[in-house]
Amino acid sequence: MSPQASPNAPAWLTAQPIAHRGLHDRAGGVPENTLAAAEAAIRGGYAIECDVQLSADGEAMVFHDETLGRLTTAEEAVGARSAAALGALTVAGSAERIPTLPAFLERIGGRTPLVIEVKSRYTGDLRLTERVAALAAAYDGPVALKSFDPRLVAALRTLAPGLPRGIVAETRQDDPAYAALAPSLRRALSDLLHFDETRPDFLSWRVDDLPCAPTVLCRLLGQRPVMTWTVRNPDQRRQAEIHADQMVFEGFCP
C-alpha cells in the first residue's frame, strides 16, 4: 500500500512562517504569548505558536513557563493562581497581561493560523488538554494542537478528532527537565516509538537535531509535514528550508 497523507494536515498548517510565542519583542514592550505579540504576528503576515498552562480554577492560560518568576513579579507556579489572579499580572514589565486562551482566540478571530502547545508534567492529567480541545473545537478559525507528551496527543484523537494534532520532540534531550522521565519514555520521545498510539498529523522537531530518522521517515513515507523550532539564525534557517516544511522562528522577521 502506498503511504497516505494525514487527513488532518491541511495546507494552511505550513503555509506561513510561524512566530514563536507570537512576534514578540521584549525590549520593545511586546512580550511573548501576549495579545500584543499575536497582533504583531498578524500584521507581519505570520502564523502564531503559543503555549498554554492550567490555572488553579481550570482555565487555559497563554503562558510558557510552569512558574511565574521569569516574566512577572510573582514567583509561584501558574497552577497556584486563579485565572483572574493570573490575568491581573503584567508581563515582563509591559502593559500586557497574561491572557486566557478564550481571550487569545477571540483576539485572533481566525485572521491567521494558530498552533497551540499544551504543556505537560507527564502525570497523565488531562484537564488542560480537555479544556483546550473544547475551546479549539468551538473556534471558528485555523487551529492545530501539539504537545511533547504522547499521552496528551493520543487523548486528542478522541477529544478533538477533527483538528490537526502534532508531537513536539527533540533528539538529544539535553534539557535538565528530561532527567525526571523514565529512560523508556525518553527513548520513545526521541525515536517516535509512540507513533501507533499518537498517530500525529504533523511533527514539530528541534531544528538543531535535523535531519533525523523520525522526521525523514514521516515526510517521505508517512507524508506528514514537519515544522521545526526554534529558528533564530541563518544557519538554522537553511536547515529548516532543507529538512522541514515550515519553521517556528523568533528574533527576526522572515
Side-chain angles (χ1 to χ4, degrees):
M1 179 184 293
S2 60
Q4 295 296 309
S6 167
N8 283 351
W12 59 254
L13 189 63
T14 54
Q16 301 158 261
I18 305 162
H20 186 231
R21 307 178 194 172
L23 192 63
H24 57 91
D25 175 11
R26 183 168 179 172
V30 183
E32 64 187 59
N33 280 324
T34 60
L35 299 180
E39 288 289 356
I42 292 169
R43 287 195 300 270
Y46 306 120
I48 298 167
E49 184 259 8
C50 74
D51 310 278
V52 288
Q53 297 274 5
L54 190 69
S55 71
D57 51 352
E59 186 57 277
M61 308 299 299
V62 183
F63 200 79
H64 176 270
D65 298 357
E66 185 177 333
T67 56
L68 294 162
R70 180 173 67 90
L71 290 172
T72 79
T73 56
E75 294 293 337
E76 65 264 44
V78 174
R81 292 199 177 200
S82 68
L86 291 166
L89 294 172
T90 55
V91 183
S94 73
E96 292 295 304
R97 300 180 184 275
I98 301 174
T100 64
L101 183 57
F104 203 72
L105 292 170
E106 183 178 3
R107 176 61 69 90
I108 295 170
R111 290 179 289 164
T112 196
L114 175 64
V115 181
I116 303 170
E117 181 181 330
V118 183
K119 290 298 185 181
S120 173
R121 296 171 184 79
Y122 298 92
T123 62
D125 186 346
L126 293 179
R127 290 177 298 160
L128 178 58
T129 308
E130 291 168 348
R131 177 60 174 155
V132 173
L135 291 169
Y139 177 62
D140 187 17
V143 62
L145 308 177
K146 65 178 183 177
S147 180
F148 278 87
D149 189 338
R151 283 177 289 188
L152 303 192
V153 178
L156 289 170
R157 293 177 63 186
T158 300
L159 294 171
L163 296 180
R165 63 182 178 274
I167 192 78
V168 192
E170 51 195 317
T171 305
R172 288 177 289 172
Q173 299 181 341
D174 45 18
D175 190 305
Y178 285 107
L181 303 183
S184 58
L185 176 56
R186 294 182 63 172
R187 186 183 174 210
L189 296 176
S190 62
D191 293 346
L192 208 64
L193 300 182
H194 53 74
F195 188 89
D196 193 52
E197 172 192 3
T198 55
R199 297 293 176 93
D201 301 304
F202 64 94
L203 303 186
S204 184
W205 215 272
R206 184 168 69 170
V207 66
D208 291 334
D209 292 337
L210 299 180
C212 62
T215 59
V216 170
L217 291 174
C218 277
R219 291 181 84 197
L220 294 181
L221 301 181
Q223 297 185 10
R224 284 162 166 80
V226 172
M227 57 182 68
T228 189
W229 54 273
T230 301
V231 174
R232 298 184 175 95
N233 60 55
D235 287 341
Q236 291 174 331
R237 188 170 184 179
R238 282 191 289 272
Q239 285 291 96
E241 289 171 351
I242 296 169
H243 300 294
D245 300 288
Q246 192 49 269
M247 64 177 174
V248 180
F249 72 93
E250 71 173 22
F252 69 100
C253 290

